[in-house]
């Protein structure tokens, strides 16, 4: 079958039926008070759906359903191999609806349809399959005891897990959390961002079709912090798993302390350094990677390589390569299959990123490329990548997470200076470095205070590698077997024989 064209995708979008209600205890339903909010697409500015505006009353209903399901054992007490089979079926259904879900992602938050099809949906399916296959291979322990004692260390599901996810990778980020939570036997209340709730709402029906019992998988399309705060304060929620800003992560931890001291696992902000040493094996490749590291998903990535540290001796040559590479990331219509840089999530976010660009110029940084708003012939939320030189690490654009394609170039002389600049940040989510010296790569990787360090590439790893941050980038880890630590309790059972 030939690939779909821009017009094909527009035609499909025009006839797409979009669900906006909450999914609670196995059924779609309106918010308790009947309120809704409008979801407007950043692609062309058109109205997509009226989304149920869940609040504390809806959270109460969903948590009660999740608790009943958990206590009944309909899911929590199934053998791990049985939960595995159901989750694999869930993954199959998501894969079967990949085009529909990719289109929803693009219309919802503006990412290129090519990226949604090639990365977000396959990544979601892979996360679910890998996690499902892992759960019946996670064992307990037998302690080393005296001959008349038997010590068992076992894992048990936490109970009811509230999951709050961001708008930049709506389905993928959700799957990194609900897959291990469900696999471990928990019940889930998923709260997507109001900026991109559509795929989370849609897959709830697929979860039910796959055989996940009523009440085990619930989705609330709340607005602002209404539903999220109610989840964090609820005394019958046993854990919160969150991806989003550091500011909100702190508020969730406060709410946990004000309620039942629930576990709060956070993957929060980032201001990731991308370090290019003079002996980088391929400057052209490093420049292309640096451009992608800031421009992919319109810069709306928690691990975006927003601080580019370049050794002074190669800086001018490298900047020429970087200019050429960034020129290939001009905004395009997100439904055009050739587009790789789409729309920002909404008008408010465009203005927020533009504010950073203006502020950087006022602080003395030099805008040497990009930052233009708009896309010829189209309405919507478009902002070209911006490249700044003359940045020092004390400037606002080097300190704060912008969540847009704004790249700050900072020069350095020695690897030790580069590490000091990289670590001089409240964040510690990711870092990358480019060098041909193997010993230097190991030394710098060890010295960098970040949860992920990539060498001679930007971004790397798969479901086998844990993902999370140091410092104010959060706690706990997604992906890998370590993810199960967030959704299980350890129990020691000591038996006298």
């Amino acid at each position: 079958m030939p690939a779909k064209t821009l017009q094909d995708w527009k035609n499909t979008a025009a006839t797409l039926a979009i669900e906006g209600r909450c999914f609670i205890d196995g059924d779609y339903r309106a918010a308790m008070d009947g309120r809704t909010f409008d979801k407007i697409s950043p692609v062309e500015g058109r109205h997509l759906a009226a989304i149920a505006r869940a609040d504390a009353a809806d959270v109460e209903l969903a948590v009660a359903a999740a608790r009943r399901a958990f206590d009944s054992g309909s899911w929590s007490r199934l053998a791990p191999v049985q939960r595995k089979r159901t989750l694999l079926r869930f993954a199959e259904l998501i894969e079967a609806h990949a085009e529909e879900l990719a289109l929803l992602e693009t219309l919802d938050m503006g990412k290129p349809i090519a990226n949604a099809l090639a990365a977000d949906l396959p990544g979601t399916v892979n996360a679910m399959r890998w996690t499902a296959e892992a759960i019946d291979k996670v064992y307990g322990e037998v302690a080393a005891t005296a001959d008349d004692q038997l010590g068992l260390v076992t894992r048990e599901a936490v109970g009811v897990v509230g999951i709050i996810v961001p708008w930049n990778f709506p389905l993928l980020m959700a799957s990194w959390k609900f897959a291990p939570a469900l696999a471990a036997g928990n019940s889930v209340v998923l709260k997507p961002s109001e900026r991109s709730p559509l795929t989370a709402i849609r897959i709830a029906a697929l979860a039910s079709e796959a055989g996940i019992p009523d009440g085990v998988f619930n989705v609330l399309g709340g607005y602002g912090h209404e539903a999220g705060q109610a989840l964090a304060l609820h005394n019958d929620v046993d854990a919160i798993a969150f991806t989003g800003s550091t500011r909100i992560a702190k508020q969730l931890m406060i709410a946990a302390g004000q309620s039942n001291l629930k576990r709060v696992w956070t993957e929060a902000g980032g201001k990731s350094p991308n370090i290019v040493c003079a002996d980088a094996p391929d400057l052209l490749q490093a420049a292309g990677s640096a451009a992608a590291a800031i421009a992919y998903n319109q810069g709306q990535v928690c691990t975006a390589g927003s601080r580019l540290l370049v050794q002074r001796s190669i800086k001018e040559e490298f900047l020429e390569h970087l200019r050429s590479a960034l020129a290939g990331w001009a905004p395009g219509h997100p439904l055009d299959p050739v587009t790789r840089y789409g729309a920002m999530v909404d008008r408010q976010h465009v203005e927020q990123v533009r504010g950073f660009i203006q502020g950087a110029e006022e602080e003395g940084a030099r805008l040497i490329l990009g930052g233009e708003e708009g896309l010829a012939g189209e309405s919507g939320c478009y902002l070209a990548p911006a490249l700044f030189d003359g940045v020092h690490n004390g400037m606002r654009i080097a300190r704060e997470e912008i969540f847009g394609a704004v790249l700050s170039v900072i020069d350095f002389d020695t690897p030790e200076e580069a590490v000091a600049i990289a670590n001089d940040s409240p964040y510690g989510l990711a870092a990358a470095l480019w060098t041909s010296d193997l010993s230097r790569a190991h030394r710098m990787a060890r010295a960098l205070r970040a949860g992920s360090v990539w060498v001679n590439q930007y971004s790397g790893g798969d479901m086998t590698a844990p993902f999370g941050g140091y410092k104010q980038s959060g706690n706990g880890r997604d992906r890998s077997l370590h993810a199960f630590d967030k959704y299980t309790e350890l129990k020691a059972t000591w038996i006298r024989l």
Side-chain angles (χ1 to χ4, degrees):
M1 178 180 292
K4 285 188 174 182
T5 65
L6 169 60
Q7 192 57 53
D8 291 333
W9 284 111
K10 284 186 173 183
N11 293 342
T12 303
T15 60
L16 187 64
I18 299 177
E19 177 62 72
R21 292 173 294 171
C22 299
F23 190 87
I24 300 174
D25 206 12
D27 288 310
Y28 285 112
R29 61 183 73 192
M32 294 282 283
D33 61 7
R35 290 189 302 165
T36 63
F37 63 92
D38 292 328
K39 180 66 191 78
I40 306 299
S41 175
V43 175
E44 295 175 339
R46 74 180 181 91
H47 181 269
L48 294 175
I51 308 299
R53 186 168 175 166
D55 60 14
D58 303 284
V59 168
E60 186 66 41
L61 196 65
V63 171
R67 177 59 62 189
R68 283 195 306 273
F70 182 79
D71 290 345
S72 76
S74 62
W75 180 255
S76 59
R77 290 199 286 273
L78 286 181
V81 70
Q82 292 176 286
R83 293 198 297 269
K84 176 176 77 171
R85 292 189 190 113
T86 302
L87 290 176
L88 289 175
R89 175 60 179 153
F90 191 9
E92 288 174 3
L93 289 170
I94 289 178
E95 188 172 46
H97 290 80
E99 285 199 356
E100 174 195 356
L101 293 167
L103 180 56
L104 286 173
E105 295 274 78
T106 294
L107 293 174
D108 215 1
M109 60 75 57
K111 70 172 68 235
I113 189 70
N115 291 358
L117 284 169
D120 293 58
L121 267 298
T124 298
V125 172
N126 182 54
M128 293 184 64
R129 285 178 173 157
W130 191 94
T131 306
E133 288 288 1
I135 191 59
D136 61 350
K137 302 167 187 67
V138 177
Y139 294 89
E141 303 168 25
V142 178
T145 64
D147 190 58
D148 63 343
Q149 303 282 335
L150 177 62
L152 304 177
V153 181
T154 53
R155 290 178 181 265
E156 296 181 358
V158 168
V160 175
V161 179
I163 297 176
I164 304 172
V165 293
W167 47 262
N168 57 335
F169 295 93
L171 193 52
L172 182 61
M173 294 293 96
S175 71
W176 284 7
K177 291 174 168 52
F178 71 67
L182 291 173
N186 298 285
S187 295
V188 162
V189 179
L190 171 61
K191 211 294 284 184
S193 168
E194 72 275 10
R195 284 170 153 168
S196 58
L198 299 182
T199 48
I201 294 171
R202 175 67 182 95
I203 65 165
L206 301 182
S208 184
E209 185 179 344
I212 293 178
D214 294 349
V216 172
F217 189 81
N218 308 276
V219 180
L220 300 176
Y223 188 85
H225 307 314
E226 294 169 346
Q229 184 180 35
L231 270 175
L233 287 169
H234 202 294
N235 284 315
D236 216 17
V237 173
D238 301 293
I240 293 286
F242 170 77
T243 294
S245 71
T246 296
R247 179 177 64 86
I248 299 302
K250 291 178 179 180
Q251 293 303 311
L252 293 173
M253 298 185 85
I254 291 171
Q258 292 173 333
S259 54
N260 60 342
L261 209 63
K262 59 179 65 64
R263 285 96 173 103
V264 177
W265 305 105
T266 63
E267 192 262 280
K271 196 68 185 174
S272 300
N274 185 13
I275 304 168
V276 183
C277 298
D279 68 342
D282 187 331
L283 289 185
L284 276 172
Q285 181 188 12
S289 181
I294 191 61
Y296 187 78
N297 210 47
Q298 301 73 252
Q300 299 165 143
V301 183
C302 57
T303 57
S306 54
R307 289 188 296 155
L308 179 62
L309 281 56
V310 184
Q311 199 155 15
R312 190 170 283 110
S313 62
I314 60 164
K315 178 181 171 183
E316 294 308 315
E317 177 187 359
F318 190 80
L319 281 182
E320 287 304 310
H321 296 320
L322 183 60
R323 286 173 186 262
S324 298
L326 273 173
W329 290 88
H333 196 293
L335 292 179
D336 190 335
V338 302
T339 294
R340 61 173 178 170
Y341 185 96
M344 306 292 281
V345 68
D346 59 22
R347 176 58 48 191
Q348 178 185 353
H349 194 55
V350 170
E351 294 304 319
Q352 181 176 320
V353 176
R354 281 176 54 83
F356 275 100
I357 293 172
Q358 181 180 345
E361 292 183 288
E362 292 171 355
E363 280 193 277
R366 296 188 302 277
L367 178 64
I368 59 177
L369 182 71
E372 305 87 4
E373 187 178 353
L375 177 62
E378 298 289 348
S379 58
C381 305
Y382 299 93
L383 186 66
L387 174 61
F388 279 94
D389 192 13
V391 179
H392 62 75
N393 213 41
M395 290 182 174
R396 185 176 174 228
I397 58 167
R399 303 298 299 176
E400 296 184 25
E401 184 177 43
I402 298 172
F403 227 64
V406 180
L407 181 56
S408 300
V409 178
I410 303 171
D411 45 44
F412 68 89
D413 288 310
T414 66
E416 292 75 18
E417 182 186 2
V419 169
I421 294 171
N423 287 342
D424 180 21
S425 171
Y427 300 112
L429 190 56
L433 62 101
W434 299 75
T435 178
S436 295
D437 187 323
L438 182 62
S439 292
R440 175 181 294 155
H442 280 292
R443 285 196 301 270
M444 293 179 71
R446 288 179 178 178
L448 289 166
R449 299 285 293 166
S452 296
V453 178
W454 304 303
V455 179
N456 294 333
Q457 59 184 331
Y458 199 92
S459 192
D462 54 24
M463 283 300 298
T464 64
F467 180 83
Y470 286 26
K471 299 187 281 187
Q472 293 187 45
S473 288
N475 61 342
R477 292 296 183 265
D478 289 324
R479 304 190 318 196
S480 82
L481 295 179
H482 295 282
F484 291 118
D485 295 341
K486 301 195 295 187
Y487 307 110
T488 55
E489 294 278 20
L490 285 179
K491 175 175 284 185
T493 304
W494 215 257
I495 303 169
R496 182 175 182 176
L497 301 179

